[in-house]
Amino acid sequence: MAFKERVFSGVQPTGNLHLGNYLGAITKFVALQDTYDCIYCVVDLHAITVWQDPPELMRNTREVTAAFLACGIDPKKQIIFNQSQVAEHAELAWVFNCVARLGWLNRMTQFKEKAGKDRENVSVGLYAYPNLMAADILVYRATHVPVGEDQKQHLELARDIAQKFNVDFATSIHAHGYGDAFFPQPEPIIQGPATRVMSLRDGSKKMSKSEPSDYSRINLTDDADTIAQKVRKAKTDPEALPSEEEGLKARPEADNLVGIYAALNNTTKAAVLSEFGGAQFSTFKMALVDLSVAKLGPIGSEMKKLVQDPVYIDSILADGSARASAIAGETMKAVKDIVGFVRRS
Ligand code: TYM
């Protein structure tokens, strides 16, 4: 069966939106809106899988919304909302808790990393998190999901869940007139030179919100001086830049900075190296500072302006939630019929 093409993605409101979120996800969100109907969600239900200070969670939810707007997502054409305003996410996640297998979740590397040695003491929500993520996507029967590389395994799980639901309920799906499959197999969109932006302090670690050193990342709200300082201090090696991509192998810090430059400039690593091959890092970093400030500076200023007006931000989220609810409500009605829940008509 052909499904209507639709994009869905989410970002957690857990503070410090950084260059990795921007290049790995948000720039893709912006680009896709020209060709698809898109739904972009601030995933506050996901955020509380780890304890969040309530006023800060609200602030962060509005800040991620501000980032979506400042980066250029059009809230009239597309849907921007926060997850907790659409109850169907949690409702479908429960059904998926009963579809997904324990063994599948046990394989999730992100859970293992996040739980670390303290496994007995993390929330059940953190463990079941990928099922909620599958519900986020599939409650809109979304077909395309732009994400960074770190979400690939979660996307594979979402595909497995969709598939198992379709098989487990095949007869009922057919009987209710949905053909062979009720849920699509959502396609991850993981493309370009910066699908996994690394820490500026250590090229073997992902750039992340939770890394203690602020010098490891560029935050979207950093001012020009801070961006310049962080780029200048970024770890490098003593060699000049190579002229071919091949020369970036085994040079993770160089590879990362070249990837960042390429993504910010909307080009490829090969093109960047053909310009900077043979240059010292001091020269390349100056160019990277200029480019980063030119691209991120206006976004940071716009975000700071937008968060001053929570009433406006909340109105965007309310409008988006209402439109998202209309779609999610239809899906949930169908799911209830398919699963065999008696419901009000
Ligand atoms: P989150 O909030 O950790 O990150 C948001 C997006 O940013 C991407 N990202 C990166 N990309 C490249 N390099 C990095 N260093 C980097 N760090 C983060 C992430 O891959 C993500 O695309 N589970 C998701 C949120 C989520 C979601 C969903 C995504 C919930 N439901 C449904 C897609 C569809 C997460 O924690 O992303």
Side-chain angles (χ1 to χ4, degrees):
M1 175 184 162
F3 289 89
K4 178 182 168 357
E5 296 204 316
R6 179 178 276 146
V7 167
F8 180 92
S9 198
V11 174
Q12 290 200 58
T14 41
N16 287 329
L17 271 185
H18 54 70
L19 190 62
N21 302 125
Y22 177 67
L23 296 177
I26 304 175
T27 53
K28 312 282 170 55
F29 300 0
V30 178
L32 288 164
Q33 63 178 346
D34 294 334
T35 11
Y36 292 96
D37 286 340
C38 305
I39 304 179
Y40 296 128
C41 184
V42 188
V43 291
D44 47 9
L45 297 179
H46 280 275
I48 64 160
T49 54
V50 174
W51 195 83
Q52 303 294 321
D53 175 57
E56 202 161 316
L57 178 61
M58 285 195 161
R59 217 173 18 255
N60 287 333
T61 299
R62 293 182 179 125
E63 190 175 275
V64 174
T65 311
F68 286 173
L69 297 171
C71 291
I73 299 168
D74 181 343
K76 294 235 157 45
K77 285 205 195 114
Q78 314 301 345
I79 295 179
I80 295 178
F81 77 108
N82 60 312
Q83 193 183 21
S84 60
Q85 295 209 52
V86 180
E88 285 82 357
H89 287 248
E91 213 177 350
L92 184 59
W94 179 258
V95 175
F96 287 173
N97 283 342
C98 304
V99 172
R101 304 290 93 182
L102 217 55
W104 299 359
L105 288 182
N106 283 340
R107 284 198 284 277
M108 294 295 113
T109 51
Q110 193 150 314
F111 174 76
K112 288 182 199 160
E113 277 162 23
K114 285 197 176 168
K117 292 197 176 66
D118 205 17
R119 248 180 129 141
E120 296 291 307
N121 218 12
V122 296
S123 74
V124 175
L126 191 68
Y127 184 71
Y129 179 115
N131 294 346
L132 176 60
M133 187 164 154
D136 297 338
I137 299 163
L138 294 170
V139 84
Y140 303 100
R141 301 211 276 169
T143 52
H144 294 81
V145 185
V147 280
E149 176 75 37
D150 61 338
Q151 296 301 316
K152 193 169 173 213
Q153 194 185 33
H154 289 159
L155 254 294
E156 280 158 11
L157 185 91
R159 292 166 66 89
D160 289 344
I161 290 175
Q163 167 81 5
K164 184 162 161 54
F165 182 94
N166 288 340
V167 170
D168 286 357
F169 295 100
T171 310
S172 185
I173 288 170
H174 206 264
H176 284 92
Y178 294 106
D180 294 337
F182 180 71
F183 287 120
Q185 291 274 291
E187 286 283 339
I189 301 183
I190 304 174
Q191 284 164 355
T195 56
R196 187 175 177 82
V197 177
M198 307 308 275
S199 156
L200 299 181
R201 309 299 288 159
D202 178 350
S204 68
K205 277 197 193 152
K206 194 180 69 169
M207 184 178 285
S208 126
K209 298 170 183 177
S210 49
E211 176 66 34
S213 167
D214 202 49
Y215 275 91
S216 68
R217 65 183 157 259
I218 294 175
N219 302 306
L220 288 189
T221 47
D222 283 346
D223 60 25
D225 286 347
T226 312
I227 295 174
Q229 252 181 31
K230 287 178 175 176
V231 172
R232 271 190 230 116
K233 280 194 192 263
K235 189 176 167 203
T236 48
D237 56 43
E239 309 284 313
L241 281 168
S243 308
E244 308 285 333
E245 249 186 287
E246 190 66 20
L248 291 172
K249 283 199 178 133
R251 294 180 67 185
E253 284 84 14
D255 188 29
N256 190 38
L257 294 184
V258 170
I260 290 172
Y261 191 101
L264 281 172
N265 213 20
N266 218 354
T267 175
T268 59
K269 287 186 199 175
V272 176
L273 293 178
S274 75
E275 187 180 347
F276 289 98
Q280 296 301 319
F281 272 108
S282 49
T283 312
F284 180 64
K285 279 183 170 180
M286 276 195 309
L288 184 55
V289 166
D290 290 346
L291 180 62
S292 308
V293 170
K295 294 280 173 175
L296 303 178
I299 294 174
S301 326
E302 183 63 14
M303 279 174 69
K304 285 180 195 144
K305 206 169 87 196
L306 284 164
V307 293
Q308 299 303 313
D309 191 353
V311 174
Y312 171 68
I313 299 268
D314 292 3
S315 75
I316 299 282
L317 294 173
D319 174 66
S321 300
R323 287 153 60 210
S325 287
I327 306 169
E330 286 305 310
T331 306
M332 242 1 257
K333 268 192 210 160
V335 167
K336 286 180 179 174
D337 290 343
I338 290 165
V339 173
F341 294 153
V342 175
R343 64 171 176 85
R344 284 191 305 268
S345 46

